Structures are given as C-alpha cells and as structure tokens.
Amino acid sequence: MANGAVRLDLDGKPIKPLTICMIGAGGFIGSHLCEKLLTETPHKVLALDVYNDKIKHLLDPDTSEWAERIQFHRINIKHDSRLEGLVKMADLTINLAAICTPADYNTRPLDTIYSNFIDALPVVKYCSENNKRLIHFSTCEVYGKTIGSFLPKDHPLRQDPDFYVLKEDTSPCIFGSIEKQRWSYACAKQLIERLVYAEGAENGLEFTIVRPFNWIGPRMDFIPGIDGPSEGVPRVLACFSNNLLRREPLKLVDGGESQRTFIYIKDAIEAVLLMIENPERANGHIFNVGNPNNEVTVRQLAEMMTKVYSKVSGETAIESPTIDVSSKEFYGEGYDDSDKRIPDMTIINRQLGWNPKTSLWDLLESTLTYQHRTYAEAVKKATSKPVAS
C-alpha cells in the first residue's frame, strides 16, 4: 500500500489486516485477486494451488515488493494433510478451486463432480469446525435454464424479465435430464452451495457465496498448444482468441444463439474485495456478480471480437470469420445449454453498493490487446513450423 492511511469499511469502521487462505490462487480469478489484495490492502495471502505460473510475478523475492505478504503452498486439496493447518492460520478462506470448463463437463463428468463437490467438502468442514469465515465461489450455472426457455419461441412471456432475469433468492435452478452430462458441473456446484448454507444454518458457519456471470479478462484460461494442452478446449473467450490469433474462423456452437452477459475481471474483483472487507454486510448472502448491461448472443460476441481484434492487431479479418458447428460435433454426446444468463443485481447493490462499470467493447479491447501482445508471436512461430511427416 502506497500510503499509511487507515482503510475503512462501508460503515466507516477501520479494516484490520487479515490473513487470507486462498485456494486456487494460481488461476485466472485468483491471480487478479492476489494482485488487488497486495497492491491496495495490507492483507496477507496464503496462496494454495498446484500451479503458480499466473502469480510468479508476485512471488519473486528479488523483484516483487510484496513477496513477504504472499506465501505459495503447492497443494492439491484432494489429498493434503496441510490443508486444515492453513485454514486455521487464516482469518478467512476463499475457495476458487474448480473444474469449470464446459468441454470437461461432458467428457470428464466424474472429475467435474468430484472437483466441485467432494473436494470442497473438507474446506467447508475445516472452516466450520474452526470458526473461520468462508467465501465460496460457485457459478451462475447453478440456475441452469430460464423459465422462459420452456415457453414457445413466440410467447410474449418470454420477454417478461420475471421469466429470465436470475435472482439469488427466488429463481428456481432448472437442469436438463440426467443423460445431459453437461449439468454435472452445475449440479455439483448447487449441492455444495446447499451444504455451505446448511453449515451456516445448523452450525453457525460465516459464509458468503459468489455466483460469477462470465468474468473475462487477461490471463483467462489458456491458448491451446501455446500455454496449455493442444487438445484442450478452453472457455469461449480464450477459444475465440485462439481462432483470431491463428486466423481461423470462430466456431459457433448450434449457431451461437445462447445469450450471455460478460463482466470485466477488474470490476468483478472490486466486488470480491468489498465482500472480504465488509463481513457484516456479506455474511449469509449469495451474490450474483455480473454485468446485465453487457448482454450479447455468442454470435454477436464473435462478431464483436473479430472487429476489436482487427483494431488492436492491425490485421484485416479473414473472409469467413465464423463457422457453425453442432454441439455434438464440438462437445460430444450429452451436451445441453442454458439459454440466457442475466443477473439480477438488487442484493449486491443493496448490501455492498456495488455496480459494474466497464462496457463490453472496452473489456474486449483490453483483453484482446493483452492476448495479442502475449501470444501473437508464439502462435506465428507455432503455425509456421513445418509439420513432421
């Protein structure tokens, strides 16, 4: 922190420095949250993860001015006896660990269920037994499909916000049939939410549940074959970025008709910091964190990303920038999708006074500038190599 001024919470009370046990600190969200905590607050971070590539710049004692406030513990929470000790050492545990890539829900449903439910159980248990506060990261996927999606296409009620805006305290959670394995993730996440809530009700666990709605920005996922597996399929932003970098058409699954809202990671992290520092306002709440103003279909997102990438890279778009593929072809058997995901922001606005700021165009420009700067040369090299016969 640059100055010694005392930080105050939303009620004007001084914020005492915390030790935060962050599980999944090396991922996309974790890396941005670690940066925010170290640069703007006096809090300390016990960073737990299997990889630390995305937070290396914060850990180096020679170059990082914050290295003494962050400790990295290489831990797989599945089977590590050190976990409880680290939860005990901290004031607050934030659990970001998850398998959260749609391409995995179908092909690795068991891993998906274990990662998002079974592996999270000890974290909840240790927080509850040791009277430690928990901020648990869930997903907007727990809502599943909207009520409106079950109405005929031209039904006037489909346009009624009551049938598609997602509210933490009233919207039902609607999943597809059991053979649609895509819902393995949403179902596991919903069950751990119910367990966290029950620990709060029965055993007094202090908790906050976060439901992210498509947080995007630099360091999200990976670019296949460059800093991730060449066979892997990351989420939509990195998937489209990969195609743009390689000058390949962007694949639109089932015509790209699903609607999504996107929020800039830096806006979302502001919301998380408010939760961390205002426990009296955040405890016992579930918060949607998204930007209802940034709603587009996946097809519109592809068109927008193509334009933005041309601007930041100086390259003209390819002749046919998009191509339609079926979900079966892209994700395999058992895929299903939610139609719309628009978060209701009433609760977070009331409790924490938070609103997102960044427009979709601006967040795409910032992210694609980063993607181009970070990966364009590596992709050029990879694609110009002669393929061994």
Side-chain angles (χ1 to χ4, degrees), residues 158-203:
R158 277 189 97 126
Q159 306 310 312
D160 182 336
D162 280 348
F163 286 77
Y164 64 80
V165 174
L166 303 169
K167 301 181 179 186
E168 299 96 329
D169 48 355
T170 57
S171 293
C173 302
I174 308 170
F175 305 142
S177 63
I178 299 296
E179 59 255 38
K180 299 292 188 191
Q181 295 208 97
R182 186 246 201 276
W183 301 108
S184 57
Y185 171 67
C187 212
K189 280 291 201 188
Q190 192 204 116
L191 191 53
I192 196 74
E193 275 198 27
R194 291 191 185 277
L195 185 111
V196 168
Y197 203 92
E199 277 289 353
E202 286 194 34
N203 298 323

Side-chain angles (χ1 to χ4, degrees), residues 274-314:
L274 287 167
M275 294 172 209
I276 291 169
E277 296 192 327
N278 294 276
E280 287 171 17
R281 289 174 176 238
N283 281 346
H285 285 285
I286 299 172
F287 292 119
N288 287 339
V289 180
N291 189 337
N293 304 317
N294 287 346
E295 195 205 6
V296 283
T297 64
V298 174
R299 179 178 289 279
Q300 288 167 326
L301 177 73
E303 289 161 357
M304 208 165 174
M305 283 180 70
T306 303
K307 280 187 195 139
V308 173
Y309 190 71
S310 287
K311 182 186 169 188
V312 303
S313 68

Side-chain angles (χ1 to χ4, degrees), residues 22 24-40 43-47 51-72 219 269:
M22 194 187 303
F28 162 56
I29 296 173
S31 68
H32 285 276
L33 185 51
C34 285
E35 273 178 356
K36 182 90 172 164
L37 290 166
L38 295 174
T39 55
E40 295 184 23
H43 309 314
K44 289 185 177 144
V45 180
L46 305 174
Y51 305 111
N52 64 4
D53 312 5
K54 293 182 182 181
I55 52 170
K56 270 213 168 83
H57 61 297
L58 304 172
L59 299 170
D60 187 339
D62 299 327
T63 57
S64 167
E65 59 191 285
W66 310 291
E68 77 286 350
R69 281 184 25 233
I70 180 167
Q71 281 175 18
F72 180 69
R219 299 200 288 271
I269 292 298

Side-chain angles (χ1 to χ4, degrees), residues 330-384:
F330 193 81
Y331 287 118
E333 204 64 66
Y335 188 74
D336 196 13
D337 206 356
S338 50
D339 50 317
K340 273 166 97 76
R341 289 199 203 136
I342 302 183
D344 179 85
M345 306 305 290
T346 309
I347 294 179
I348 195 165
N349 196 272
R350 182 188 71 216
Q351 292 301 114
L352 303 174
W354 176 84
N355 275 308
K357 301 189 269 289
T358 313
S359 72
L360 186 55
W361 180 276
D362 288 350
L363 74 85
L364 288 175
E365 194 168 332
S366 157
T367 305
L368 288 172
T369 301
Y370 171 87
Q371 301 285 56
H372 180 68
R373 202 176 57 227
T374 311
Y375 297 114
E377 283 310 308
V379 168
K380 272 199 187 90
K381 276 187 192 139
T383 48
S384 64

